[in-house]
Amino acid sequence: MEKHRSAFLEYTRSFFSGDPEKDRYMQLKVDHTFRVCSHAAMLTAEENELRAPAVGRALSLAALYHDVGRFEQLKRWNTFSDAQSCNHGLLGASVLKKQGFLDNEDREVRHRTIAAVALHNRFALPAALRGDLLRIVAAVRDADKVDILRILAEQLGPGSAADNTMLMHLKDAPGICSPAILKALREKRVARYMDMRTLDDFRLLLCTWLFDLRFNASLRAIRENGCFISILDGFTGAPDVKAEAAAVVENRLNAPSSTLPA
Ligand SMILES: [Fe+2]
């Protein structure tokens, strides 16, 4: 993996421009990547179904390269919003092929890694996805979410200085939540980015991410890092909605995760 880490770092270094404002976001994505790698390694160690060596190899590579498309996205469009630019998962898959980062891997590992990068940011996974590829994709998505939740908890906590790019250019409109986001929370399903209008929408949407997590070790990591305490503390809307969101989080964090289809 050391060679891949060096290749990733060399590739990303080429996007640093000397403009501290832009470079800060590039660095943020590099740091995020290595934390996602650590989360993925933790999942491999703790979840039996990820232990097969071929699964572990593709998962490590997919974790390292999952956001490789972010650098081109940020350079060209200056945003992390896919809706306002491009699908960064698909862009990442094409960067992987173009750069030949996986040329020395065996065919199956290469195929699984590219598929996992392309699918890591999909709203929902294709129903036909099964077996090891499903496990790998689900694990990358879990590892990614665990770290994003921790980063965004700092941005969305009470009194934090909001970063417009990280918060997807959403309005700080205290007390206003979109009905579609609330509906998703009440129906215990993942809410859509396109329905978000305000920072409180983002806080509620993050609560619904818990329904997409597949591994118990991910739920445990989230319980331990306490990110939802901060996210919910920052909520500015009605106290009953806040209590409802807190109950959803509490229930989900304390219930065992759903198991994957074989
Ligand atoms: Fe991503």
Side-chain angles (χ1 to χ4, degrees), residues 66-67 70 88 120 144:
H66 80 283
D67 262 352
R70 284 294 196 192
H88 75 275
H120 88 273
D144 194 22

Side-chain angles (χ1 to χ4, degrees), residues 62-108:
L64 178 65
Y65 291 120
H66 80 283
D67 262 352
V68 76
R70 284 294 196 192
F71 301 90
E72 189 72 41
Q73 179 186 45
L74 201 60
K75 184 180 168 187
R76 278 161 70 178
W77 288 280
N78 206 25
T79 182
F80 288 142
S81 162
D82 282 12
Q84 292 170 29
S85 56
C86 68
N87 178 329
H88 75 275
L90 293 180
L91 179 59
S94 96
V95 168
L96 271 184
K97 291 182 205 159
K98 214 182 311 172
Q99 296 290 325
F101 288 141
L102 302 171
D103 286 358
N104 294 326
E105 297 297 321
D106 75 48
R107 231 179 112 251
E108 190 175 55

Side-chain angles (χ1 to χ4, degrees), residues 176-237:
I176 297 177
C177 301
S178 301
I181 301 278
L182 261 175
K183 192 165 183 277
L185 181 79
R186 287 172 179 156
E187 291 173 1
K188 300 189 176 15
R189 56 179 171 81
V190 180
R192 290 184 178 272
Y193 276 136
M194 59 183 279
D195 291 323
M196 294 195 299
R197 301 287 178 271
T198 68
L199 293 181
D200 272 348
D201 284 340
F202 206 177
R203 293 182 179 99
L204 296 180
L205 176 135
L206 294 177
C207 296
T208 73
W209 276 13
L210 292 174
F211 301 118
D212 194 45
L213 293 175
R214 305 291 191 111
F215 295 100
N216 287 318
S218 307
L219 294 173
R220 203 187 51 242
I222 288 171
R223 261 197 320 268
E224 285 171 6
N225 73 26
C227 59
F228 276 103
I229 296 170
S230 173
I231 291 169
L232 289 167
D233 272 357
F235 187 79
T236 60

